[in-house]
Amino acid sequence: MTSPTADNQGLVRLCVLAVFAGCVTGVLGGAFRWCLDHLNRWRFEMLQWADGLGAPGWFIPVAVTAAGAAFGALVSHLVPTAAGSGIQHVEAVERGEAGPAPLRVIPARFFGGLAAIGSGLILGREGPTVHMGAAVGSETGRRAGLDQYDVRVMQTSLSGAGLAVAFTAPVGGALFALEEVTHSFRIRVVVPTILAVAAAVACGHVILGDRPDFRVGVVAAPPITLLPVFVVFGLLSGLVGIAYGRAVLGAINAVRGITRVPPIAKAAVIGAIVGGLMAVDTDAAGGGDNLAQQIFDGSVVLPVVAALFLVRFVAGPLSYAAGTPGGLFAPMLALGALWGVLFAAGLDAVLPQSDSTLRDAMVLAGMAALFGAVVRAPLTGMVVVMEMSATTTVAVPMLAATAAAVLVAHLSGTPPVYDSLREQMLANDAARQRDPGS
């Protein structure tokens, strides 16, 4: 048994290493977001240019997204740990079910993620930043001679730093590491996580600036009498979340079941499909940040909202099934925003005098509730949304909606999406070990 003095010295050492690794993660995550922002702007300009070419211009976004998806899939073929979100791998390492990610996952995530997400696939930037942060954390711990337990602490703490930089959400990033990855609040994890997140976000601000992700006007707190409406909204959001989680797993299984086509070719076909959707409507593709901002600005009309909800509900899981580097969080937030607009419009049709300011509150609550239902991390979802929007006036309705959504998802017996993805990943790793040529 170690002495209290040794434990304290070990904690101090962890904290110092967490600050160092947090700075590295902040630079990596900030650079990744900076590059992705420029690629997104280039993609919009490319779409405007292609639109001016007439019918032949449709082939340009199709080819660009197909090429980006193919390159991302090639990277995942060369570095299998880089495929998908990466969060399931972080959780597997925390549980002792897998070894820490090797350093080569960092360039794989960085460049593969830029190609896949930047070309238009409906994937989130948080997957690569979380996994890069985790790899930095575990490698720092190994090189510092930490034991296996503390190496896992480092990778978990720095995964939270990666999420914090991805969404400019320091508290949300810390909660993610504690609520979603470790499912506990042990002091030996809490303190290094907070320090790593603070260092990462500070370094990220140097590159990205200090501003929330969404520009949201003043959102009035909904009347307390409408709280039951948010509970009903949350219950329905739980059902939407269950369906979306199943759609993700179903798309993965369906694409994997096509065994006669090489994975890179399958990714290219998926990219071509998403590129075709993008040629019709820019907001039908991409992570969804621009779409969410337009929703807050009120510049997306209701019929388009309904169409985008249906398209992204299907194309999001299909994009993830391509097997390229990229996450699920950001597309879920955009889908939750669309769902909030649809519910608010339906409520206005049933109760025209309910409240004219309810729309933005429903958008924010929809983002948190859908996230909570799919991921089963309600605190993380609510705090991330509040930090991204710099809005806290909807906290109570958001709590009610998210709690109801999580309750429905839990009672259904549907496992959290990352539990299912982790099991799939471990099964695939075992299959590769049995048959290295598979």
Side-chain angles (χ1 to χ4, degrees), residues 164-186:
V165 175
F167 292 138
T168 320
V171 181
L175 276 174
F176 162 77
L178 303 171
E179 181 187 32
E180 171 61 18
V181 180
T182 69
H183 299 291
S184 67
F185 288 77
R186 304 186 303 274

Side-chain angles (χ1 to χ4, degrees), residues 124-144:
R125 62 184 179 271
E126 81 293 331
T129 58
V130 165
H131 212 190
M132 286 190 291
V136 169
S138 59
E139 185 66 19
T140 302
R142 283 199 299 262
R143 292 189 178 230

Side-chain angles (χ1 to χ4, degrees), residues 226-235 365 369 382 394-406:
L226 290 178
L227 204 57
V229 173
F230 281 88
V231 173
V232 173
F233 176 55
L235 295 173
M382 289 186 291
V394 191
V396 174
M398 192 185 292
L399 280 165
T402 305
V406 172

Side-chain angles (χ1 to χ4, degrees), residues 72-159:
L74 173 62
V75 169
S76 296
H77 175 72
L78 298 174
V79 186
T81 315
S85 169
I87 291 174
Q88 60 267 34
H89 183 262
V90 171
E91 295 184 357
V93 173
E94 168 62 26
R95 289 159 177 74
E97 299 170 342
L103 268 185
R104 65 178 178 274
V105 85
I106 294 176
R109 284 280 176 190
F110 196 101
F111 295 107
L114 287 179
I117 305 169
S119 66
L121 287 183
I122 305 174
L123 297 170
R125 62 184 179 271
E126 81 293 331
T129 58
V130 165
H131 212 190
M132 286 190 291
V136 169
S138 59
E139 185 66 19
T140 302
R142 283 199 299 262
R143 292 189 178 230
L146 300 183
D147 61 29
Q148 191 175 24
Y149 173 81
D150 281 345
V151 168
R152 290 203 298 267
V153 169
M154 285 290 293
Q155 82 103 30
T156 297
S157 298
L158 272 298
S159 71

Side-chain angles (χ1 to χ4, degrees), residues 52-348:
L53 299 178
W58 281 56
F59 293 101
I60 295 174
V62 170
V64 167
T65 313
F71 181 81
L74 173 62
V75 169
S76 296
H77 175 72
L78 298 174
V79 186
T81 315
S85 169
I87 291 174
Q88 60 267 34
H89 183 262
V90 171
E91 295 184 357
V93 173
E94 168 62 26
R95 289 159 177 74
E97 299 170 342
L103 268 185
R104 65 178 178 274
V105 85
I106 294 176
R109 284 280 176 190
F110 196 101
F111 295 107
L114 287 179
I117 305 169
S119 66
L121 287 183
I122 305 174
L123 297 170
R125 62 184 179 271
E126 81 293 331
T129 58
V130 165
H131 212 190
M132 286 190 291
V136 169
S138 59
E139 185 66 19
T140 302
R142 283 199 299 262
R143 292 189 178 230
L146 300 183
D147 61 29
Q148 191 175 24
Y149 173 81
D150 281 345
V151 168
R152 290 203 298 267
V153 169
M154 285 290 293
Q155 82 103 30
T156 297
S157 298
L158 272 298
S159 71
L163 186 80
V165 175
F167 292 138
T168 320
V171 181
L175 276 174
F176 162 77
L178 303 171
E179 181 187 32
E180 171 61 18
V181 180
T182 69
H183 299 291
S184 67
F185 288 77
R186 304 186 303 274
I187 195 70
R188 199 172 181 85
V189 181
V190 171
V191 179
T193 297
I194 293 173
L195 291 171
V197 165
V201 173
C203 291
H205 281 170
V206 175
I207 299 172
L208 303 168
D210 185 7
R211 62 187 185 278
D213 280 23
F214 299 129
R215 301 181 305 277
V216 181
V218 177
V219 181
I224 198 67
T225 54
L226 290 178
L227 204 57
V229 173
F230 281 88
V231 173
V232 173
F233 176 55
L235 295 173
L236 294 175
S237 299
L239 297 177
V240 175
I242 293 168
Y244 190 75
R246 290 177 176 173
V248 170
L249 299 174
I252 293 171
N253 291 331
V255 171
R256 188 172 293 153
I258 306 173
T259 55
R260 295 186 178 182
V261 180
I264 296 174
K266 287 189 283 189
V269 171
I270 292 171
I273 293 171
V274 175
L277 295 172
M278 184 169 64
V280 176
D281 191 321
T282 304
D283 293 322
D289 273 20
N290 185 66
L291 171 59
Q293 184 60 60
Q294 290 186 67
I295 289 172
F296 285 120
D297 294 340
S299 58
V300 186
V301 297
L302 188 61
V304 174
V305 168
L308 287 174
F309 177 81
L310 293 174
V311 167
R312 292 180 70 92
F313 194 98
V314 176
L318 185 62
S319 294
Y320 191 83
T324 67
L328 290 170
F329 280 15
M332 274 193 291
L333 294 175
L335 195 70
L338 292 166
W339 164 237
V341 174
L342 291 175
F343 185 88
L347 181 65
D348 188 59

